[in-house]
Amino acid sequence: MKLSENISLAQYTTFKIGGKARFFCVVTSEDELVEAVEFAKLPKDSKTHSLPILVLGGGSNMLVSDAGFDGIVIKNEISGIKVEDKYIKDIGDDDLFVSAGAGESWDNLVEYSVRNGLYGIENLSAIPGTVGAAPVQNIGAYGAEAAQTISNVRALDTKMMKFVELSKEDCKFGYRDSIFKHERDLVTKQPRYIITVVSFKLVKNGVLKIDYKDVREYFDKKNITVPTLTDLRRSIIEIRTSKLPDWKEWGTAGSFFKNPSVTVVKFAELKDKYPDLPGFPEIGGETNSSDSSNTTGDMKVSLGWILDKVCDVRGLTVDTASGGKVGTYSSQALVIIARDGATAADVLDFSKELIRRVKDKTGIVIEAEVEWVC
Ligand code: EPU
């Protein structure tokens, strides 16, 4: 494991913003990961006893503070995709387990699955980031979420310093949520689990999820009545390209906020005022999911719609104190874009302004989906 110091993190995040990491290393194997964590627990060339750890995948869902990260950044590049026969005895002829290293590109895994005729993650096509980040925030899009297919997560338990296999239940998945976001040592700021491999249960003859409004409209427009797995992947890629900014070109982390949950009573109140407001029973998953089982009793509302139609901020761009620009994307108000040298503080200020406006207009207190790293 090669350790570097004072490495700019802007180059490793899709926001392309942020200060330096005090220590930085890339790990490509579980042994190297152990070495990196051991260093964090007892850094040889440091007076501190232990260092906070930040695990970096594709850096596509974080905003790094301008002051940087005073700890060790571990860039997880443990790669590889393989069909797993480890759990084969538990499954029927139609299912297959596919495992991928945490550092593998998420979309490589989706492309691999679709190419091999395996159903389950095609709706999650073209999401930036790595496989290891998928369980952390339970990525979701177009009526599907990672938790629906994840069977097991292998991780280094940094407290016990041993590798563990966590079941789907152990991961406690929710809407953009899992234990990996919460299990952290409060003193050392080290995450309890660092994911190394994620296993998915995929299906050979599955059913396509094509109920999401954008997807239905896409196939109607193209006159495709019986779409294939490949058609669905292509449709998702085209929809995403038309609605979301290309992170290679823009400084962004996709949706900046989570879609909020409100009580049914609050939802009825909002509907009175805004009859077109989209809302769906919360299922601990996608906002527009067609899965109606396992509802929480609350309603999820589309914050993109509120920011656009109620707060009128879709496409709003402001000049910042630092001379840069920050704004919401012209086709999707939930997405914040930073450019022309805007700083992390600028993005944070702008996000606070959006939080304030939503609160003033609707009474809803919204939360960031993007992780703030400092
Ligand atoms: N809408 C507007 N104006 C906007 C944005 C949205 O009117 O500026 C409306 C849409 O027309 C639609 C509703 O709001 O009726 C919901 O919008 P959309 O389908 O785009 O989905 P979303 O809830 O805003 C979520 C995810 C996205 C994911 C899409 C598609 C979250 C926080 N975001 O957005 O994920 O791609 O669904 O499934 O759950 C991400 O996490 O980075 C991300 C982009």
Side-chain angles (χ1 to χ4, degrees), residues 361-372:
K361 291 270 189 186
T362 65
I364 302 173
V365 179
I366 56 170
E367 275 175 45
E369 183 201 272
V370 168
E371 187 192 351
W372 171 248

Side-chain angles (χ1 to χ4, degrees), residues 168-234:
K168 185 186 193 134
E169 290 68 36
D170 295 334
C171 297
K172 298 197 173 69
F173 291 119
Y175 168 66
R176 298 297 189 275
D177 202 33
S178 71
I179 53 155
F180 305 109
K181 275 196 167 178
H182 307 288
E183 296 259 340
R184 183 173 285 277
D185 187 305
L186 293 175
V187 178
T188 62
K189 289 204 203 155
Q190 293 175 348
R192 170 80 189 261
Y193 300 108
I194 300 180
I195 298 169
T196 57
V197 180
V198 186
S199 301
F200 300 82
K201 187 180 175 190
L202 302 178
V203 183
K204 281 185 230 159
N205 293 300
V207 178
L208 296 178
K209 294 189 198 76
I210 50 171
D211 288 342
Y212 201 90
K213 185 169 148 264
D214 290 355
V215 178
R216 262 191 286 115
E217 284 173 1
Y218 175 95
F219 288 130
D220 285 349
K221 212 164 118 200
K222 299 242 164 188
N223 275 324
I224 299 177
T225 45
V226 190
T228 63
L229 197 50
T230 312
D231 289 336
L232 185 49
R233 173 165 162 80
R234 192 176 304 125

Side-chain angles (χ1 to χ4, degrees), residues 142 175-176 212 255 257 259 286 308-309 332-333 369:
Y142 304 103
Y175 168 66
R176 298 297 189 275
Y212 201 90
S255 296
F257 300 102
N259 283 315
E286 262 296 276
D308 179 1
K309 309 289 194 301
Q332 170 48 290
E369 183 201 272

Side-chain angles (χ1 to χ4, degrees), residues 66-78:
D66 303 307
F69 184 71
D70 190 17
I72 177 167
V73 170
I74 302 176
K75 186 160 186 326
N76 192 335
E77 290 190 2
I78 298 172

